[in-house]
């Protein structure tokens, strides 16, 4: 899976990456290997107390907003570079004086020349690590000094039999297993075990490595953020600079091109809408997350060539106002772009904008008119709506009931096929690891591991989703995916019946996949289409009426 994008997924956010600004506030991935130490080792005062505001001013990580569920941009001069081993480190804007960077009070991550995340003095580093341990464990932190002996004694205890397996996994470099054991320690509130495993994981992950190493870097950051936020609200206080909107759109465009997930979703939804509206003279499409509006380019072009002439098309585009950041402006930009396209194709066209989040959409915002055949599009959007497990208002089901009351000809649903909504932390971690590992593997076959754009799209389009899933709870966690089986129940409860996709749509999508790696697969099950990577379903698409 954060604000709108060129190709809506171009967060799956539309969202795997398509909402870089929607869901959680600004997130910075510039200190994956050192944030846990930094948060504690430099944030305490002489009495060992923790000053949240000081940390918020000096470091950056994920900042959540339970109000608008949107990313916001913050003023900062820090940027992201990479050390020789591929670990992200933060340094000053290139406009800074290089000779002053080491002494700058804002350069909290060390020299950009050396790439050190804390200090080039190993003794100073060790001292800071001790400070971290003192803050985390209190005045009795000397327990760390005897950690090795405790571990050795534990291996002889039948109840600690897993220690041998953990050490064996570390010796063999089994990153996936160590990630799982670390997540279990976090889940069990075993801070000592978690911190030790995090130290080991920092040696194993890299944003330039194999898919599991790259994903591991972001999952480790999620674990660190979750552990750090406990009882201190550090997580909310930290700030980070968003990439420029032009850069963000570039990242999204690359992801849209190298992976078929978004094209699959938009093509299948457009096919269902085109078929349902083949005999209509006036068509109204409500897109609950229009982002850049790219999905509708091919549909307008298809309607232009319809036998008997195109219908009059009106699109109502809904998008959170914060998405204007990634778009480079308000929804009027989308309207003008689509209007120019429709004019060039001789298609009668109107655009209506509704700049508000899905949680705030009411019937009055939709501009319903008599005599128009209605189509409603939910592409990579509904999983951002809080449901009954988060809010008594249950916006997820409220929107479905409201839409059903409009008697639409067709409603399209495209969502990630993942189960992270109501799952407890540890099973949610396992699901996230499996799902995004498949995503990272699919990217790996297209973009070289040293490709700069690959690093950017994974950081800005996928990593923030991972961190939100792992580090946030309640209203702050906006990445809440459900399997299609659960979506079927929600649609059925709202009064919808399935609208099977036509064989022509299926054949067209199969042709699309011919230009991608053969390990992508397309399956049709119970009237829905599933796009997967090898044996893992990743995106599901279906239609309702």
């Amino acid at each position: 899976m954060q604000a709108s994008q060129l190709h809506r997924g171009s967060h799956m956010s539309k969202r795997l990456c398509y909402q870089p600004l929607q869901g959680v506030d600004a997130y910075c991935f510039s200190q994956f290997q050192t944030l846990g130490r930094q948060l504690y080792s430099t944030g305490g005062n002489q009495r060992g107390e923790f000053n949240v505001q000081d940390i918020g001013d000096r470091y950056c990580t994920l900042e959540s907003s339970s109000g608008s569920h949107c990313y916001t941009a913050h003023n900062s001069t820090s940027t992201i570079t990479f050390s020789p081993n591929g670990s992200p480190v933060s340094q000053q804007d290139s406009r800074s004086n290089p000779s002053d960077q080491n002494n700058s009070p804002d350069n909290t991550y060390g020299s950009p020349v050396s790439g050190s995340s804390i200090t080039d003095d190993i003794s100073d580093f060790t001292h800071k690590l001790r400070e971290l341990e003192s803050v985390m464990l209190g005045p009795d932190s000397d327990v760390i000094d005897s950690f090795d002996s405790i571990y050795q004694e534990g291996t002889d205890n039948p109840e600690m039999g897993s220690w041998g397996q953990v050490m064996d996994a570390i010796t063999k470099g089994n990153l996936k297993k160590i990630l799982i054991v670390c997540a279990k320690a976090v889940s069990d509130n075993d801070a000592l075990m978690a911190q030790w495993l995090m130290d080991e994981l920092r040696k194993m992950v890299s944003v330039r490595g194999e898919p599991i190493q790259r994903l591991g870097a972001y999952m480790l950051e999620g674990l660190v953020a979750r552990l750090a936020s406990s009882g201190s609200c550090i997580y909310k206080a930290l700030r980070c600079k968003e990439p420029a909107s032009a850069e963000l759109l570039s990242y999204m465009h690359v992801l849209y091109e190298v992976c078929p997930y978004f094209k699959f979703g938009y093509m299948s939804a457009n096919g269902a809408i085109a078929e349902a509206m083949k005999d209509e003279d006036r068509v109204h499409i409500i897109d609950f997350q229009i982002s850049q509006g790219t999905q509708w380019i091919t549909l307008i072009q298809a309607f232009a060539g319809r036998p008997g002439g195109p219908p009059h098309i009106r699109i109502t585009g809904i998008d959170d106002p914060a998405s204007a950041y990634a778009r480079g402006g308000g929804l009027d930009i989308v309207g003008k772009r689509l209007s120019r396209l429709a004019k060039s194709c001789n298609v009668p066209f109107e655009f209506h904008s509704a700049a508000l989040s899905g949680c705030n959409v009411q019937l009055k915002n939709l501009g319903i008119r008599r005599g128009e055949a209605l189509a409603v599009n939910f592409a990579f959007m509904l999983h951002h709506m809080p449901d009954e497990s988060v809010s008594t208002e249950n916006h997820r089901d409220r929107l479905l009931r409201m839409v059903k009351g409009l008697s639409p000809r067709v409603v399209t649903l495209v969502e990630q096929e993942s189960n992270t909504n109501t799952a407890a932390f540890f099973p949610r971690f396992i699901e996230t690891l499996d799902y995004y590992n498949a995503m990272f593997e699919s990217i790996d076959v297209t973009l070289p591991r040293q490709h700069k754009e690959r690093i950017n799209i994974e950081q800005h389009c996928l990593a923030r989703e991972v961190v939100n899933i792992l580090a946030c709870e309640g209203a702050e966690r906006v990445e809440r995916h459900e399997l299609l089986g659960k979506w079927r129940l929600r649609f059925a409860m709202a009064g919808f019946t399935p609208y099977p996709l036509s064989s022509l749509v299926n054949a067209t999508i199969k042709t699309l996949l011919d230009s991608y790696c053969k390990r992508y697969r397309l399956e049709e099950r119970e009237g829905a289409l599933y796009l997967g990577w090898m044996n893992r379903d990743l995106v599901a698409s279906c239609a309702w009426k």
Side-chain angles (χ1 to χ4, degrees), residues 256-510:
Y256 179 88
E257 292 298 332
V258 301
C259 295
Y261 305 115
F262 311 112
K263 291 181 181 178
F264 158 79
Y266 305 150
M267 185 179 294
S268 58
N270 286 353
I273 294 173
E275 182 177 354
M277 303 297 181
K278 60 184 178 182
D279 297 322
E280 300 296 336
D281 294 327
R282 301 186 69 85
V283 175
H284 181 197
I285 300 170
I286 300 176
D287 187 349
F288 269 83
Q289 187 173 285
I290 195 165
S291 298
Q292 302 302 315
T294 307
Q295 176 177 351
W296 308 116
I297 293 176
T298 56
L299 185 64
I300 291 174
Q301 292 170 336
F303 275 133
R306 192 180 71 172
H312 179 280
I313 300 175
R314 187 163 65 95
I315 293 180
T316 295
I318 301 170
D319 210 4
D320 195 296
S323 296
Y325 172 78
R327 191 166 42 236
L331 283 171
D332 59 303
I333 294 177
V334 178
K336 291 177 181 178
R337 179 185 302 136
L338 294 179
S339 295
R340 288 194 299 267
L341 171 68
K343 184 177 181 180
S344 69
C345 297
N346 295 317
V347 175
F349 182 81
E350 288 182 60
F351 183 82
H352 171 68
S353 64
L356 68 169
S357 71
C359 293
N360 297 324
V361 172
Q362 303 293 331
L363 182 60
K364 63 182 180 181
N365 304 122
L366 302 180
I368 302 300
R369 297 176 187 171
R370 291 184 179 181
E372 293 180 330
L374 179 63
V376 176
N377 185 59
F378 291 114
F380 303 115
M381 176 270 176
L382 275 179
H383 73 273
H384 295 142
M385 297 297 99
D387 68 350
E388 67 279 359
S389 68
V390 181
S391 169
T392 56
E393 296 180 87
N394 190 359
H395 294 291
R396 192 169 297 198
D397 290 344
R398 179 187 69 83
L399 286 180
L400 293 181
R401 292 193 298 270
M402 181 180 68
V403 168
K404 179 58 181 176
L406 302 177
S407 301
R409 294 294 175 85
V410 64
V411 176
T412 53
L413 173 71
V414 183
E415 280 291 350
Q416 292 98 305
E417 184 67 357
S418 182
N419 185 22
T420 64
N421 182 23
T422 58
F425 168 71
F426 185 64
R428 189 165 79 235
F429 181 94
I430 300 298
E431 172 74 352
T432 303
L433 178 61
D434 185 62
Y435 183 91
Y436 284 93
N437 189 46
M439 284 290 300
F440 276 64
E441 286 182 354
S442 69
I443 295 174
D444 200 58
V445 302
T446 306
L447 292 178
R449 291 180 184 173
Q450 299 302 317
H451 200 292
K452 182 179 179 180
E453 287 184 327
R454 180 198 56 71
I455 295 174
N456 286 332
I457 65 173
E458 288 177 350
Q459 286 186 344
H460 296 292
C461 299
L462 301 180
R464 62 180 70 234
E465 294 183 9
V466 171
V467 175
N468 183 252
I469 292 171
L470 300 184
C472 296
E473 295 295 347
E476 293 175 348
R477 180 158 62 87
V478 297
E479 298 299 328
R480 293 179 167 273
H481 306 107
E482 291 186 325
L483 299 174
L484 183 54
K486 184 63 179 291
W487 290 117
R488 289 183 188 276
L489 292 176
R490 292 189 185 278
F491 273 78
M493 289 176 61
F496 289 98
T497 57
Y499 186 99
L501 300 176
S502 71
S503 57
L504 178 60
V505 174
N506 300 357
T508 303
I509 295 176
K510 288 180 180 178

Side-chain angles (χ1 to χ4, degrees), residues 20-61:
L21 299 179
Q22 179 176 350
V24 287
D25 282 352
Y27 177 69
C28 176
F29 299 102
S30 60
Q31 64 279 17
F32 294 110
Q33 295 184 335
T34 60
L35 177 60
R37 294 189 179 97
Q38 294 168 337
L39 288 175
Y40 294 97
S41 64
T42 62
N45 56 26
Q46 292 180 351
R47 298 188 304 272
E49 297 174 350
F50 201 83
N51 189 320
V52 174
Q53 185 59 46
D54 288 346
I55 295 298
D57 291 339
R58 299 184 63 187
Y59 300 100
C60 47
T61 185

Side-chain angles (χ1 to χ4, degrees), residues 242-262:
E242 289 281 356
S245 59
E247 294 174 342
L248 194 57
L249 293 181
S250 176
Y251 305 152
M252 297 162 190
H253 179 77
V254 173
L255 183 58
Y256 179 88
E257 292 298 332
V258 301
C259 295
Y261 305 115
F262 311 112

